[in-house]
Amino acid sequence: MKIETLAITSTTLHDEKRAVIPPIYLTTTYERKEDGTFDKDDYIYNRLDNPNRRMLEKSLAVMERGDDAFAFASGLAAAAAVFQTLRAGDHVILPDDAYYGVMVLAEDIFKDFGLQCTRVNQTDLQKVAAAITPQTRLIWVETPSNPLLKIVDIYALAKLAHQTNALCAVDNTWGTPILQNPLALGADIAMHSTTKYFGGHSDLLGGALVIKKNPILSEKLRKIQKIGGAVPSPFDCWLVARGIRTMPLRVKAQTATASKLAKFLATHSAIQTVHYPFLPTHPHHEIAQKQMQGAGAMLSIEVKGGREAAMKLANSLQLFVHATSLGGVESLIEHRKSIEGEFSQTPESLLRVSVGLEHPTDLIADFKRALKKL
Ligand SMILES: *Cc1c(COP(=O)(O)O)cnc(C)c1O
């Protein structure tokens, strides 16, 4: 079945009350049988499992074409769970421009537990190969990357990981399962901040891991999820499932608009550079076209005139709200340097754009008008 159909069939059900859309189970605990026991698939306690989370996890596995899925309270809780499967002395390879929170997890929080970490520019496969040590157990991949939309070769990186007995995990938040399937490209784990395109409406926080058949990894992750307790509430699970039903259509429409906007901005004299994976000027557009069905709804631009011009543009736009986050129905724009702090390598002139569901004509007109004021 196609992804649009799976998005519906995996998130609707016919329960004993014949509800087509699942209700939200706002209960902490579940009654035992008369003899005090539970059957295998019975619910016991909300943190361990609940009907909304079980349904969401089934859908996550279907959407990402995996075998097992784990819902978390946030994208970073999902990422942290992957690091928690490792042991002191294990070595991780991270991209040099990994999502800021993932970098802090690996290089600060888990470092104190003995995790070793090397950051590498993963567009250079030889550098990745050179960074591998006998202790390497995980290659963490993020593509497209934030905020420069660098593209790395998932297939090649997964192959490198497997040659050395390591797993390959891909942060697929920006790619979405609609445009990119890391597991089909050889990766072992697909990670998502479901806060973004899965939820799709900027009204929740959530995370997910989807894996291929791997009983040992599955058991570890399930334990970390249930006992670590960084789980989403039934209501948040319900909201993510609601978002999934329209995700294929949203992502396709937002991608089509982003692609039009990227083309327009690439020709504008006030813009220095447009970072968008399918533009022929993008340094990795060939890999992007090989592994993605669309370039996505995120882009970033470097504005001529540095920080001042970038800030002025962000504030002159009327349809793009100056705020962090991405993947919602509303378009957002953000000056990344000022949120990323002192270790940021992001240019001062860079603005990151999350393209929403507004009409492309209106979004382009908004940019035209705002760019005139520079
Ligand atoms: C937002 C985001 C995260 C973190 O997810 P949260 O839900 O905010 O914890 C991780 N990776 C990427 C690429 C993101 O965009």
Side-chain angles (χ1 to χ4, degrees), residues 193-304:
S193 165
T194 54
T195 312
K196 315 295 168 51
Y197 292 99
F198 275 81
H201 295 75
S202 303
D203 53 10
L204 66 91
L205 206 58
L209 298 174
V210 184
I211 66 171
K212 283 187 199 158
K213 201 163 187 58
N214 180 338
I216 294 172
L217 180 64
S218 176
E219 202 178 306
K220 275 191 194 172
L221 287 171
R222 195 60 76 192
K223 194 197 295 178
I224 291 163
Q225 178 201 37
K226 288 181 172 182
I227 306 301
V231 290
S233 70
F235 181 48
D236 281 340
C237 293
W238 187 91
L239 280 176
V240 176
R242 179 196 175 101
I244 288 174
R245 298 182 194 115
T246 55
M247 178 168 64
L249 294 181
R250 281 188 283 106
V251 168
K252 285 178 186 182
Q254 285 169 253
T255 297
T257 304
S259 156
K260 283 183 188 153
L261 183 61
K263 279 184 198 144
F264 162 73
L265 292 169
T267 61
H268 200 286
S269 59
I271 305 290
Q272 186 93 45
T273 317
V274 177
H275 302 280
Y276 190 65
F278 278 18
L279 285 182
T281 47
H282 189 287
H284 322 118
H285 69 271
E286 278 175 19
I287 301 170
Q289 267 155 344
K290 195 179 73 179
Q291 71 187 14
M292 300 180 81
Q293 279 100 63
M298 294 299 295
L299 57 106
S300 60
I301 52 178
E302 290 176 50
V303 186
K304 284 182 191 165

Side-chain angles (χ1 to χ4, degrees), residues 73-79 98-102 140 142 144-146 171-174 191-196 204-207 298 325-326 352:
S74 69
L76 279 177
Y99 181 82
Y100 188 73
V102 172
W140 185 273
E142 186 186 326
S145 75
N146 176 23
D171 183 339
N172 199 28
T173 300
W174 286 28
M191 174 247 146
H192 286 279
S193 165
T194 54
T195 312
K196 315 295 168 51
L204 66 91
L205 206 58
M298 294 299 295
S325 200
L326 58 117
R352 188 185 81 178

